[in-house]
Amino acid sequence: SAAKANNILNHNCSFLGSSLTLPSAETLDKLSNSTKEPEYLRDSRLKIYKEPQKDHIYFLAVDPAKSGEDAFAIQIVDLTSKPFEQVATAQLFKCNFQKMPVFIVEWGEIYNNAFIIVENNEGAGTYISSVLKLSYDYPNLFYEKKKGKMADLEPGFRTTQKTRPQILDILKSFLDDEILILHDAETVSELSTFILKNDKYQADDGCHDDLVMSLALIFAPFCDIKNFDDIEWVISYLYDPEKACKDTSKFYEHFVIGNFDDDEI
């Protein structure tokens, strides 16, 4: 029960539910009871929980490993309509990041040319972003709003002291309000040990948070959006360039993304 979960602290990283966790203990209790086994493993890497569906809109987020102990994590979420739904995940330890762009492109393409958001704080993320742009010319890459020529910009999202809490707050809201469905047990397990330490949400000692952070990255394009209606508005424009072009001021107010990029930002 949620009340019981409030008092559980397992340092083996199997379950933790308390006032210190990002989602509420009640939310974690519900999530832990709703996980399921993946339908299959694609390319020996990606756990598929739901096959791509025609005309659905998917976001794919990449959190590259930052050290030998971290995992390379990927989340794919269906954002076509509420509630949003986690459809595929990957958590790869001791991963050669230089081999990953070919898989990321393949997975993005099968999920209807999913919009790809790469955290580019580290060298691995910068490398992957550049390869997706320059070598594969992937059509739907997330760019943060910056001044300058698109050709001079690198795709990806940089987590900072300002943006990290923002994407985590959005993730918390979606989970607590049951607007985001999760299927992956490893993701739920990480959420259970993702706690407030030193005024910052992070993995408990000996645990991982790469799946949590890659899930939060899904919502990076919406950092400046104030309510769920605006999020739905932006998503509704993603596969309709003609509509987007008619009202670019509102669209660009929120984010810049591959298919709708102008030379100037």
Side-chain angles (χ1 to χ4, degrees):
S1 68
K4 183 179 179 181
N6 251 326
N7 299 316
I8 292 177
L9 176 59
N10 188 330
H11 285 289
N12 291 324
C13 301
S14 59
F15 189 83
L16 167 65
S18 75
S19 59
L20 296 178
T21 52
L22 182 71
S24 70
E26 181 181 3
T27 297
L28 287 171
D29 193 50
K30 291 178 181 177
L31 291 172
S32 66
N33 291 320
S34 64
T35 59
K36 64 180 184 180
E37 291 296 316
E39 294 182 6
Y40 65 96
L41 193 63
R42 186 181 181 94
D43 299 319
S44 301
R45 290 169 170 82
L46 187 70
K47 291 187 286 187
I48 304 293
Y49 290 97
K50 201 164 185 178
E51 291 274 16
Q53 299 181 59
K54 184 180 179 181
D55 298 327
H56 277 224
I57 297 171
Y58 298 96
F59 277 22
L60 185 159
V62 181
D63 183 19
K66 300 175 183 63
S67 71
E69 296 180 357
D70 294 325
F72 191 108
I74 288 175
Q75 297 275 4
I76 304 179
V77 174
D78 186 340
L79 293 171
T80 309
S81 60
K82 292 189 302 185
F84 306 137
E85 184 174 12
Q86 180 189 49
V87 296
T89 70
Q91 185 182 38
L92 309 173
F93 292 94
K94 297 182 180 178
C95 172
N96 183 344
F97 68 85
Q98 293 179 322
K99 295 182 178 180
M100 287 309 298
V102 63
F103 294 105
I104 294 169
V105 169
E106 174 196 330
W107 301 339
E109 287 177 347
I110 65 171
Y111 278 96
N112 301 343
N113 281 331
F115 289 89
I116 295 180
I117 306 160
V118 181
E119 186 194 48
N120 62 3
N121 285 39
E122 304 291 331
T126 302
Y127 169 83
I128 290 167
S129 296
S130 297
V131 171
L132 295 181
K133 175 185 178 182
L134 300 175
S135 298
Y136 290 95
D137 194 24
Y138 189 83
N140 295 323
L141 294 175
F142 173 75
Y143 291 79
E144 290 186 88
K145 292 186 297 185
K146 295 178 181 178
K147 294 182 179 180
K149 296 282 187 179
M150 176 56 65
D152 298 329
L153 297 179
E154 290 297 329
F157 179 82
R158 186 170 295 273
T159 53
T160 66
Q161 290 183 344
K162 177 182 177 181
T163 61
R164 190 178 188 276
Q166 286 179 322
I167 59 176
L168 289 174
D169 283 346
I170 297 173
L171 176 59
K172 173 180 173 58
S173 296
F174 278 28
L175 291 172
D176 286 341
D177 292 344
E178 299 183 41
I179 298 174
L180 176 60
I181 298 171
L182 299 184
H183 297 303
D184 180 55
E186 291 298 328
T187 302
V188 175
S189 177
E190 283 195 9
L191 283 165
S192 301
T193 56
F194 192 70
I195 62 173
L196 188 63
K197 296 195 306 180
N198 301 320
D199 297 322
K200 176 183 178 181
Y201 280 105
Q202 55 193 300
D204 196 10
D205 294 341
C207 303
H208 294 279
D209 62 9
D210 42 89
L211 286 169
V212 173
M213 291 309 302
S214 56
L215 187 61
L217 280 171
I218 290 286
F219 306 105
F222 311 126
C223 277
D224 296 328
I225 294 179
K226 306 302 181 185
N227 59 67
F228 293 152
D229 289 338
D230 283 343
I231 288 177
E232 288 186 324
W233 182 91
V234 172
I235 293 172
S236 73
Y237 272 63
L238 293 182
Y239 278 8
D240 196 337
E242 291 184 5
K243 284 173 63 178
C245 288
K246 292 177 182 178
D247 194 2
T248 54
S249 60
K250 185 173 182 180
F251 187 84
Y252 286 120
E253 179 184 334
H254 297 306
F255 61 42
V256 178
I257 204 157
N259 275 350
F260 310 115
D261 293 332
D262 276 335
D263 288 335
E264 298 289 343
I265 299 178

